[in-house]
Amino acid sequence: MSAVDGWGSANRYALEIAAGHVQSRAIRQRGNVIMKLDLASTAFLAQLASLGAPGFHEMEPEEARLAGGQIAESYPPGPDMASVRDETITGSDGAGFRVRVLSPTETPRAALIFYHGGGWVLGDIDQYDTLGRQLAKRTGAAVILVDYRKAPENRYPAAAHDAYDALTWVDANITSIAGKRVPIIVAGDSAGGNLAAVVAQRAKAENGPDISLQLLVYPVTDGAMNTPGYANPDNQLLLNTPLMEWFWDHYAPNKKDREEPGASPARAKDLSGLPPALVVTAEYDVLRDEAEAYGEAMQAAGVPVTIKRFDRQMHNFFAMPGLLPAAATALEYVGQQIDRHLATSSEVDAVIVGAGFAGMYQLHKLRQQGLSTRVIERADDVGGTWYWNRYPGARVDIESMAYSFSFDEELEQEWTWKEKYSPQPEILEYAQHVADRFDLRRDITFETSVTRALYNEDTARWNVYTDSGEVISAQYLIMATGCLSAIKTPDIPGADTFKGETYITGLWPHEGVDFSGKKVAVIGTGSSAIQAIPHIAEQADQLTVHQRTPAYSMPAFNRPLEETEIQQMKTTYRDYREAQRNHLAGIPYPERNLMPAAAEGDNERKARLETAWESGILTALTSSYMDVLSNQDANDLVSEFVRDKIRARVKDPETAETLAPKTYPLGTKRPCLDTNYYETYNRDNVRLVDLHKTPIQEITPTGVRTTSGEDSYDAIVFATGFDAMTGALERIDIRGINDMALKDKWADGPHTYLGLSVAGFPNLFTITGPSSPSVLSNMIVSIEQHVDWISDCIAWMRDNGHTTIAATEKAETEWAIHNEQAANLTLFPQANSWYIGANVPGKPRTFMAYIGGVDVYRHICDSIASDNYQGFETA
Ligand code: FAD
Ligand code: NAP
């Protein structure tokens, strides 16, 4: 059956239920409720109903256990563990019970004791084996499943005693379970959540083992059964009031017992001082209200509590791994919360900010060197640029086989790029593959931003603050925040008043955008716009492009890669990588012609430039003569060649002239590669607005007003770029010695030594920071060079007993002078580019990348390192 068939049949089930066709007392009258569940849960309930089985409470306990066991048989096996060990514990009252210790493949970072659900009557650790393994794999904790004694054979407080005895056993055996003392988490679902809550209260009351976190998944908290859910049949899917009564009657038939906190933790008089809690609930669960009420009561008593309700879910969804997609979503959520929680209590050697290619490789390197390292990333996955920029047509403009990591030969060989210039989804997939291959995610905290980083001179450590409220102490702080990651919010009056759809290329919706039948405006004509415009034009009813400065773009001639060229590159990769490292821009081919442009006659030059053009390589034109980027006349020759190409590609001469750049030298703003960009202006549904002639006055609720009038649009796409190089760093409040703010220090432009270190900010490193070659190169080449250098520096510090390192003011000043001199030897400062900060109003104008070349720069960095880190101060 195809996925679509599956979807269709599930949908039919849902419809049948809604129409009351499925013969089940429990479900027939509540079709409207089931329709509120997600489709997988609806289908599951429908299947269950079609079996026509009686409710558990209409069975004998033994019979109900068998029926429950049958559902568990359909769970897939859990992931492999480093070890699985069953042990029998003798409890404090002399009775024995089993525990299962599931050890993840890495050294456990916590011990998570899980009490299974089943109303204290049903369930066992075999039925929870899959979930236990999944929890162990996702959280990196050793999971201890507890087979506490069940009712009615063993009534209250037997299960609660066993649960507590399991805690003391884990505490006493923690080093054999985890190799060292690690935080203990008590967890459970439903009646198991009840036991976890009870155990946490008893540990507090008896000054028992330290519990780091309570994970309470729709816990039973009060035997009074008087929260609104009990009176509302809509909430009673899979678990209803009669079944809860049946459970309580078996577990604590004596109503007085149910008033004790040992059975009903919500009855405890004082909840203060309990461990932090994560309370997970389901929208359509009879236990939802009492679970959330307990969470809120703990919160009111000052306990840090997170309550997470999963919408469109029913009771028990968490414990049905493999059956319900929501179980996987919830597991991931719980995993992230546990990541966060464990992190709160940890000090690390290094914090890395950002999980793009830079942060990922830096994490891998520091781990290899034995440093405890955490990465903080705003997105919910790795990839950086390639996570955020999902606009149509987004792709790399440096050949994919060259724009890839070189640090691991096996990675290089196992990954096969499909196109000469791979599209964003493929590059993101590559980043995800790298994360999987090197198991990076377990040290990355996602959906979290670093907001402040304060250097503490007394401890010589950084305190790194996140928007989730954590403060992480680290010896090293490594910024992998990206040169092009801080979106430049549209700086056009009225931009926030537009009532139609607005999109920003660098924050593109993950689900994609359908422009069919719409009138669309694009603002900007940089690399992002040039890639997106041909795709938007194909979909939209009408497209109007608003151009302030035209770009120089050449065709990419993108195509699928052929097997032979892939193999050829894979065979010679080592030589190629060496050539990359020793090239000006990390793009060794076509080789730079060392002849000045004037040295060749018109025909030879035309032929040379044609060959460069046909290569579809970003640097081919600027490499065609040695002086294209340093001599205006040479540049004019090549620029005019490109303008002629634009004139040939665009049918309307006026549009072609508007698109042909004339106000700055070719190459001094980032050149672009395109696929059918200029040809797009030959379409009837595409119009170009020249903002130099008719500037935008404002964005109105319905459209864009230029000096020639207002046009209305359904959607506006802002392809207006980034606060490049410094934006992501300055958006964090970074303070070094004497509370000096980086932003203040950089008020007149960024000052760094090598783009790696900043005077007054010890142990702060910036990967591809300002004044390094960074954006003037194949970025992965520059990222690898920086990460290797930083990692070597840290290793050297450790070997030589240094705690801190920072650039000296003198070295920083000298590097700034050298940078400026180098830039002034070229035509680059002439353009109003983002390289120089000209795209952000009010930004100081300094050339922010080192222009001397990746090869020269590498040599400088290596010499400084081998000269005992000349220009740096250590302590
Ligand atoms: P990024 O990939 O930008 O990653 C930085 C990460 O840091 C982001 O995920 C961000 O969410 C996170 N972050 C930032 N601040 C914080 C914070 N305060 N808290 C938590 N997380 C934070 N380069 C090339 O060489 N060739 C190309 O073809 C190319 N194409 C590009 C196309 C586009 C659309 C863009 C925007 C850039 C392109 N670049 C290209 C440059 C690209 O940015 C680099 O190649 C590379 O991906 C940068 O990796 P990175 O890890 O340094 O930074
Ligand atoms: P960009 O190059 O800065 O382009 C932004 C565009 O928006 C420019 O045309 C700019 O005009 C225009 N703009 C900005 N503010 C405006 C305003 N207020 N009114 C009108 N127009 C305005 O940004 P980008 O296109 O996102 O590219 C940024 C960099 O990312 C690239 O240079 C490149 O390094 C990288 N990138 C690479 C690729 C690739 O092909 N692999 C794709 C996308 C991005 P002005 O020029 O007049 O300021």
Side-chain angles (χ1 to χ4, degrees):
M1 187 169 59
S2 73
V4 175
D5 289 343
W7 187 253
S9 67
N11 225 341
R12 264 198 310 282
Y13 265 130
L15 291 174
E16 281 172 2
I17 294 160
H21 289 167
V22 175
Q23 295 306 304
S24 159
R25 255 180 310 145
I27 290 179
R28 195 175 49 233
Q29 295 147 7
R30 305 197 195 115
N32 59 334
V33 174
I34 294 167
M35 287 301 285
K36 292 178 187 165
L37 292 177
D38 72 357
L39 213 50
S41 308
T42 307
F44 172 80
L45 279 188
Q47 274 162 358
L48 206 62
S50 67
L51 298 174
F56 284 143
H57 60 285
E58 292 162 318
M59 303 181 193
E60 288 304 313
E62 210 37 60
E63 215 184 335
R65 285 172 195 156
L66 276 175
Q70 275 167 2
I71 297 177
E73 275 167 22
S74 56
Y75 304 156
D80 287 343
M81 297 281 102
S83 70
V84 177
R85 158 166 84 88
D86 279 10
E87 299 231 5
T88 300
I89 298 178
T90 307
S92 48
D93 59 5
F97 63 95
R98 249 188 341 150
V99 294
R100 178 167 301 162
V101 182
L102 300 163
S103 302
T105 44
E106 73 241 46
T107 311
R109 57 180 185 154
L112 187 152
I113 308 173
F114 195 92
Y115 307 110
H116 67 79
W120 311 278
V121 177
L122 313 176
D124 59 33
I125 60 176
D126 296 323
Q127 292 172 20
Y128 274 72
D129 185 79
T130 298
L131 177 62
R133 285 167 186 256
Q134 288 180 342
L135 275 167
K137 179 161 196 277
R138 176 57 188 85
T139 62
V143 169
I144 299 94
L145 297 174
V146 183
D147 226 355
Y148 54 85
R149 286 169 291 166
K150 288 191 283 279
E153 296 86 342
N154 298 282
R155 297 192 193 276
Y156 172 80
H161 277 175
D162 291 353
Y164 193 76
D165 289 339
L167 169 69
T168 54
W169 180 83
V170 168
D171 186 56
N173 292 279
I174 195 84
T175 45
S176 78
I177 292 171
K180 60 178 187 224
R181 179 144 287 281
V182 290
I184 297 176
I185 299 170
V186 291
D189 64 319
S190 198
N194 167 282
L195 295 175
V198 166
V199 160
Q201 288 191 5
R202 184 167 161 196
K204 180 192 104 175
E206 296 180 9
N207 214 4
D210 273 348
I211 295 173
S212 167
L213 177 73
Q214 318 173 58
L215 165 60
L216 310 178
V217 181
Y218 32 75
V220 182
T221 64
D222 197 339
M225 292 180 40
N226 59 6
T227 45
Y230 286 98
N232 177 4
D234 277 2
N235 283 13
Q236 303 193 3
L237 299 170
L238 272 193
L239 179 64
N240 55 18
T241 305
L243 184 53
M244 274 310 296
E245 275 164 358
W246 187 79
F247 284 144
W248 275 114
D249 287 345
H250 284 306
Y251 181 51
N254 181 347
K255 293 256 162 71
K256 270 268 169 242
D257 286 345
R258 297 186 200 175
E259 288 168 18
E260 288 182 13
S264 297
R267 298 302 182 94
K269 294 215 163 36
D270 177 15
L271 296 175
S272 64
L274 284 171
L278 170 60
V279 179
V280 173
T281 62
E283 186 178 9
Y284 295 104
D285 181 1
V286 67
L287 298 180
R288 184 193 78 192
D289 297 334
E290 68 184 279
E292 291 178 2
Y294 184 59
E296 283 157 15
M298 284 193 287
Q299 243 163 11
V303 177
V305 180
T306 303
I307 301 174
K308 170 75 178 173
R309 180 190 293 184
F310 282 85
D311 290 339
R312 306 184 70 204
Q313 298 309 320
M314 60 189 174
H315 185 72
N316 208 47
F317 81 100
F318 187 74
M320 292 199 276
L323 287 192
L324 301 180
T329 310
L331 180 79
E332 179 54 29
Y333 173 80
V334 164
Q336 289 199 13
Q337 292 301 317
I338 290 179
D339 286 346
R340 233 171 237 203
H341 174 78
L342 291 177
T344 311
S345 55
S346 70
E347 283 198 346
V348 286
D349 293 326
V351 164
I352 299 167
V353 190
F357 286 125
M360 292 167 73
Y361 179 40
Q362 185 68 75
L363 169 62
H364 176 64
K365 281 290 282 191
L366 292 187
R367 261 196 203 161
Q368 280 181 329
Q369 292 179 201
L371 272 80
S372 61
T373 305
R374 283 197 52 209
V375 181
I376 308 298
E377 168 56 58
R378 177 173 298 141
D380 69 9
D381 202 359
V382 296
T385 287
W386 305 103
Y387 172 95
W388 295 109
N389 291 267
R390 299 175 189 232
Y391 58 83
R395 61 178 70 242
V396 76
D397 62 5
I398 288 171
E399 290 175 288
S400 337
M401 292 204 69
Y403 184 80
S404 56
F405 280 128
S406 73
F407 70 84
D408 187 287
E409 286 187 44
E410 281 180 20
L411 168 67
E412 215 167 51
Q413 292 298 324
E414 78 195 4
W415 183 265
T416 297
W417 294 100
K418 298 190 189 70
E419 293 180 46
K420 180 182 174 193
Y421 294 113
S422 289
Q424 171 271 330
E426 195 181 341
I427 306 166
L428 181 59
E429 206 181 305
Y430 172 72
Q432 290 166 337
H433 170 76
V434 173
D436 290 341
R437 190 182 200 289
F438 299 103
D439 192 15
L440 298 180
R441 286 193 185 84
R442 74 182 147 91
D443 287 323
I444 307 177
T445 306
F446 291 108
E447 293 183 87
T448 305
S449 295
V450 169
T451 51
R452 281 200 298 161
L454 310 183
Y455 184 68
N456 181 329
E457 289 169 58
D458 296 333
T459 59
R461 292 177 73 85
W462 284 93
N463 284 330
V464 183
Y465 295 74
T466 74
D467 61 356
S468 66
E470 280 183 70
V471 185
I472 310 157
S473 160
Q475 185 181 0
Y476 303 101
L477 175 59
I478 304 176
M479 307 309 289
T481 43
C483 296
L484 292 158
S485 59
I487 302 287
K488 189 187 96 155
T489 39
D491 52 349
I492 303 173
D496 53 352
T497 64
F498 183 63
K499 295 271 183 278
E501 301 161 26
T502 52
Y503 302 100
I504 296 178
T505 47
L507 281 178
W508 205 258
H510 289 200
E511 62 279 12
V513 180
D514 184 1
F515 290 111
S516 306
K518 298 205 167 123
K519 277 181 78 173
V520 182
V522 170
I523 298 179
T525 50
S527 304
S528 302
I530 279 177
Q531 291 185 328
I533 283 167
H535 293 264
I536 299 174
E538 275 179 18
Q539 252 188 14
D541 190 32
Q542 290 174 41
L543 170 63
T544 305
V545 178
H546 296 76
Q547 171 189 278
R548 192 161 67 181
T549 313
Y552 289 95
S553 184
M554 62 189 275
F557 299 113
N558 188 32
R559 55 179 173 74
L561 284 172
E562 290 180 15
E563 189 51 37
T564 46
E565 59 188 325
I566 294 171
Q567 284 321 319
Q568 164 72 14
M569 180 64 124
K570 285 193 176 177
T571 318
T572 55
Y573 242 143
R574 299 276 45 81
D575 293 341
Y576 183 80
R577 299 304 196 187
E578 205 43 37
Q580 280 187 310
R581 291 186 192 111
N582 291 302
H583 178 266
L584 184 77
I587 309 168
Y589 306 107
E591 277 177 26
R592 190 151 175 252
N593 175 15
L594 295 180
M595 189 192 280
E600 275 189 326
D602 287 352
N603 290 344
E604 289 156 307
R605 188 181 317 112
K606 177 120 191 356
R608 183 183 293 281
L609 294 180
E610 279 297 344
T611 308
W613 183 262
E614 294 298 324
S615 73
I617 303 285
L618 192 70
T619 48
L621 287 171
T622 46
S623 300
S624 56
Y625 295 103
M626 59 167 284
D627 50 356
V628 177
L629 290 172
S630 56
N631 178 307
Q632 187 66 55
D633 294 338
N635 193 287
D636 286 345
L637 292 169
V638 185
S639 299
E640 188 57 17
F641 171 84
V642 177
R643 285 191 285 270
D644 279 344
K645 288 288 185 190
I646 296 170
R647 289 170 187 130
R649 290 170 76 182
V650 180
K651 286 188 190 145
D652 174 49
E654 196 185 330
T655 307
E657 276 322 306
T658 309
L659 287 165
K662 297 175 193 102
T663 55
Y664 63 99
L666 170 118
T668 56
K669 289 181 90 156
R670 176 71 147 64
C672 308
L673 278 191
D674 71 88
T675 300
N676 293 331
Y677 173 62
Y678 293 109
E679 290 75 6
T680 298
Y681 293 93
N682 298 332
R683 295 174 67 104
D684 291 339
N685 68 335
V686 177
R687 187 168 67 101
L688 180 66
V689 174
D690 181 353
L691 298 182
H692 277 303
K693 284 190 187 145
T694 56
I696 297 181
Q697 289 181 317
E698 63 169 340
I699 292 181
T700 67
T702 52
V704 179
R705 187 199 309 281
T706 66
T707 49
S708 73
E710 182 178 348
D711 287 308
S712 58
Y713 297 104
D714 301 311
I716 300 179
V717 174
F718 292 98
T720 41
F722 300 87
D723 182 355
M725 315 297 290
T726 52
L729 293 166
E730 290 189 348
R731 287 177 191 189
I732 304 170
D733 182 12
I734 304 176
R735 287 169 190 265
I737 287 174
N738 292 333
D739 203 32
M740 188 203 316
L742 188 73
K743 200 170 162 42
D744 293 341
K745 171 161 177 160
W746 287 3
D748 62 351
H751 301 270
T752 74
Y753 183 34
L754 303 172
L756 275 162
S757 173
V758 184
F761 294 78
N763 291 1
L764 173 81
F765 295 101
T766 49
I767 303 178
T768 63
S771 308
S772 71
S774 62
V775 291
L776 297 179
S777 66
N778 174 340
M779 285 287 281
I780 299 206
V781 176
S782 288
I783 285 170
E784 285 194 332
Q785 186 252 334
H786 264 193
V787 169
D788 290 342
W789 192 93
I790 293 166
S791 309
D792 289 348
C793 175
I794 289 174
W796 173 82
M797 287 172 69
R798 298 200 145 198
D799 289 348
N800 290 278
H802 300 304
T803 333
T804 61
I805 190 164
T808 62
E809 293 280 354
K810 181 169 176 285
E812 195 173 79
T813 305
E814 283 171 4
W815 183 248
I817 293 169
H818 172 58
N819 256 270
E820 198 181 339
Q821 285 172 342
N824 287 339
L825 292 174
T826 73
L827 302 174
F828 275 90
Q830 291 186 22
N832 285 326
S833 64
W834 57 256
Y835 294 141
I836 216 159
N839 67 327
V840 175
K843 193 164 172 169
R845 195 180 167 105
T846 50
F847 197 75
M848 294 184 285
Y850 178 59
I851 219 159
V854 162
D855 44 355
V856 171
Y857 175 79
R858 175 186 299 274
H859 180 70
I860 294 171
C861 291
D862 289 350
S863 324
I864 286 170
S866 55
D867 197 5
N868 280 325
Y869 292 86
Q870 195 195 21
F872 287 91
E873 283 167 335
T874 51

